[in-house]
């Protein structure tokens, strides 16, 4: 097991006050966590899952990855006790009446499959509503295992686990954040709570690093999709929803599953800038306004640039958008670039952007070299 440097950004310890009524988040402890600009690699929409846990007596392990904030109902009790929206294990006990306390080594664990393998930049262990029943400390390890391993295979002696968050005290009813500086590609995590307790949510922020062999086998694919390694670099406005929604898998299922800006009262326009998986040739474009009916973009255009210092070239001119519609465009010739930008006029939103193409020869070589460098 290899220990890596880690920085705790939000050092909360100790119990929160017992719930006294009103808004349960009124006394929730949190802090500014700069790594949340990255995608959540443990997003269920990307295919993440909690594949196993040693104990989930009070609350199920799957709750860890629910996308919404944890809820709290003070009057909701079941046959096993208070029903909590998180992962909660039973209280550990010692070996005898003379030694009734857990040992220093006692802990509970959960195995998490990341939805998209990648380099982890930060982790949030959220103990929302676990005010006096949270773990004393947590630790997180990462592993890179090819294919679709079973829990038994992940727990085998030949799997190398790297410490991303060493055993660190945490606080109750708080967003406990940890920066991670390990330059390595991970597919799975092992979350430990010492010695027992409850965790509401787990968020794993980082950069997707796709498998070059898989992309090569696909041939033509979406070169800006989050699951393939595309990412949002900047956006003009994030008032109603994150720009990353536009490169999530699948079609939007409701209005806030896309990107929507506030109403403009000037002569400007809104935009999103993306970095592609690597240098690519784009041949077709989809702009979807699903579920955006009275608030879809009026017009949209797409531009591409080649390299950080390249100039933007419009490859799809300003085109009228229809509400709640998937618009498809075949480009007259392939557009080569490393970055893309969608401009909407004057404001409103789109739900998805798809840029279909292939990696260039040098783009494929660069991606393969990075994948190997990161231990993929």
């Amino acid at each position: 097991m290899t220990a890596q440097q880690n920085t705790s950004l939000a050092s909360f310890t100790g119990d929160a006050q017992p719930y006294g009524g009103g808004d349960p988040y009124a006394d929730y402890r949190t802090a500014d966590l700069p790594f949340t600009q990255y995608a959540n690699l443990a997003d269920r929409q990307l295919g993440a899952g909690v594949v196993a846990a040693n104990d989930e007596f009070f609350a199920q392990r799957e709750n860890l990855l629910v996308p919404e904030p944890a809820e709290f109902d003070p009057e909701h009790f079941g046959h096993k006790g208070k029903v909590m929206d998180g992962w909660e294990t039973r209280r550990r006990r010692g070996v005898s009446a003379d030694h009734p306390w857990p040992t220093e080594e006692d802990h509970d664990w959960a195995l998490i499959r990341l939805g998209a393998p990648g380099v982890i930049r930060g982790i949030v262990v959220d103990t929302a509503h676990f005010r006096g029943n949270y773990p004393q400390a947590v630790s997180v390890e990462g592993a890179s295992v090819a294919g679709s391993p079973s829990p038994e295979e992940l727990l085998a002696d030949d799997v190398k686990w790297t410490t991303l968050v060493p055993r660190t005290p945490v606080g109750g009813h708080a967003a406990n954040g940890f920066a991670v500086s390990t330059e390595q590609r991970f597919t799975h995590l092992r979350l430990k709570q010492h010695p027992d307790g409850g965790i509401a949510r787990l968020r794993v922020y980082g950069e997707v690093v796709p498998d070059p062999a898989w992309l090569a086998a696909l041939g033509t694919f979406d070169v800006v999709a989050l699951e393939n390694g595309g990412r949002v670099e900047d956006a003009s406005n994030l008032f109603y929803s994150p720009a990353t929604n536009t490169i999530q898998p699948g079609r939007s299922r409701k209005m806030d599953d896309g990107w929507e800006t506030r109403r403009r009262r000037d002569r400007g326009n809104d935009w999103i800038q993306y970095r592609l998986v690597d240098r690519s040739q784009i041949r077709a474009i989809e702009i979807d306004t699903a579920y955006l009916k009275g608030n879809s973009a009026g017009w949209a255009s797409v531009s591409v640039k080649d390299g950080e210092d390249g100039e933007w070239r419009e490859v799809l001119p300003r085109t009228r958008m229809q509400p709640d519609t998937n618009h498809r465009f075949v480009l007259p010739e392939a557009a080569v670039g490393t970055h893309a930008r969608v401009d909407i006029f004057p404001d409103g939103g789109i739900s998805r952007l798809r840029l279909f193409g292939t990696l260039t020869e040098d783009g494929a070589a660069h991606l393969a070299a990075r994948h190997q460098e990161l231990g993929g």
Side-chain angles (χ1 to χ4, degrees):
M1 187 181 299
T2 305
Q4 299 288 343
Q5 181 183 1
N6 137 82
T7 304
S8 176
L9 298 178
S11 299
F12 303 114
T13 56
D15 295 350
Q17 293 296 316
Y19 175 64
D23 179 7
Y25 274 104
D27 59 341
Y28 177 68
R29 296 180 286 177
T30 188
D32 181 34
L33 302 172
F35 51 72
T36 56
Q37 64 180 294
Y38 295 100
N40 177 20
L41 304 183
D43 191 338
R44 284 287 300 171
Q45 199 168 348
L46 285 174
V50 186
V51 299
N54 72 306
D55 187 309
E56 46 187 329
F57 185 85
F58 285 115
Q60 296 175 329
R61 65 182 190 261
E62 287 86 358
N63 289 333
L64 284 170
L65 304 188
V66 171
E68 294 79 19
E71 297 181 352
F72 180 72
D73 181 349
E75 299 182 0
H76 190 189
F77 288 83
H79 294 294
K80 294 181 179 180
K82 181 72 186 72
V83 175
M84 296 294 290
D85 185 7
W87 169 49
E88 186 180 6
T89 66
R90 71 192 79 198
R91 300 188 188 213
R92 283 184 172 270
R93 298 294 186 234
V95 296
S96 68
D98 293 332
H99 299 279
W101 308 280
T103 68
E104 185 67 17
E105 293 74 29
D106 282 344
H107 66 273
D108 292 317
W109 54 263
L111 296 176
I112 295 93
R113 178 190 65 245
L114 297 180
V119 178
I120 297 168
R121 301 302 183 193
I123 295 173
V124 176
V125 178
D126 188 349
T127 57
H129 314 304
F130 289 94
R131 296 169 175 269
N133 51 347
Y134 58 94
Q136 181 183 20
V138 301
S139 60
V140 183
E141 300 162 301
S144 183
V145 183
S148 304
S150 67
E152 293 75 20
E153 290 170 323
L154 289 170
L155 295 172
D157 293 338
D158 61 342
V159 174
K160 177 186 175 183
W161 290 93
T162 299
T163 300
L164 304 179
V165 178
R167 182 169 175 167
T168 306
V170 294
H173 197 44
N176 300 277
F178 305 91
V180 177
S181 57
T182 307
E183 289 296 319
Q184 187 176 334
R185 179 182 185 265
F186 294 103
T187 61
H188 294 78
L189 297 185
R190 180 162 60 187
L191 171 65
K192 295 180 180 179
Q193 50 177 333
H194 309 265
D196 55 37
I199 297 170
R201 298 288 188 266
L202 177 72
R203 303 291 186 246
V204 184
Y205 297 98
E207 301 175 51
V208 177
V209 180
D211 181 354
W214 176 253
L215 297 183
L218 292 179
T220 298
F221 61 93
D222 182 359
V223 298
V224 77
L226 181 60
E227 61 187 326
N228 293 333
R231 67 179 186 268
V232 169
E233 288 193 327
D234 200 3
S236 62
N237 188 278
L238 303 173
F239 190 82
Y240 286 115
S241 46
T244 302
N245 281 353
T246 60
I247 54 174
Q248 288 277 10
R251 295 199 71 196
S252 174
R253 292 169 293 180
K254 52 182 180 166
M255 191 173 71
D256 66 351
D257 191 18
W259 172 60
E260 181 189 0
T261 71
R262 71 185 70 181
R263 299 187 188 212
R264 277 190 172 266
R265 303 305 187 198
D266 59 22
R267 296 293 179 180
N269 74 283
D270 289 315
W271 50 267
I272 306 174
Q273 180 176 314
Y274 305 88
R275 182 167 186 99
L276 309 182
V277 56
D278 217 297
R279 192 164 186 256
S280 304
Q281 299 181 77
I282 301 168
R283 297 185 176 85
I285 296 173
E286 282 189 5
I287 302 175
D288 196 354
T289 59
Y291 290 96
L292 296 165
K293 298 182 178 180
N295 50 353
S296 66
W299 290 261
S301 65
V302 176
S303 302
V304 171
K305 75 172 182 177
D306 195 10
E308 293 288 349
D309 300 323
E311 295 185 359
W312 289 106
R313 297 177 295 106
E314 191 175 71
V315 297
L316 178 70
R318 194 180 303 189
T319 303
R320 189 74 168 95
M321 295 286 104
Q322 299 299 322
D324 194 28
T325 300
N326 191 24
H327 308 76
R328 290 179 170 176
F329 310 94
V330 176
L331 301 184
E333 60 181 30
V336 177
T338 56
H339 296 73
R341 171 177 165 136
V342 61
D343 284 84
I344 63 171
F345 303 88
D347 56 21
I350 62 173
S351 59
R352 295 291 188 270
L353 174 71
R354 305 295 187 212
L355 304 178
F356 295 103
T358 57
L359 292 172
T360 61
E361 186 174 341
D362 57 339
H366 179 263
L367 184 65
R370 183 165 186 255
H371 184 266
Q372 184 176 14
E373 179 184 345
L374 295 171

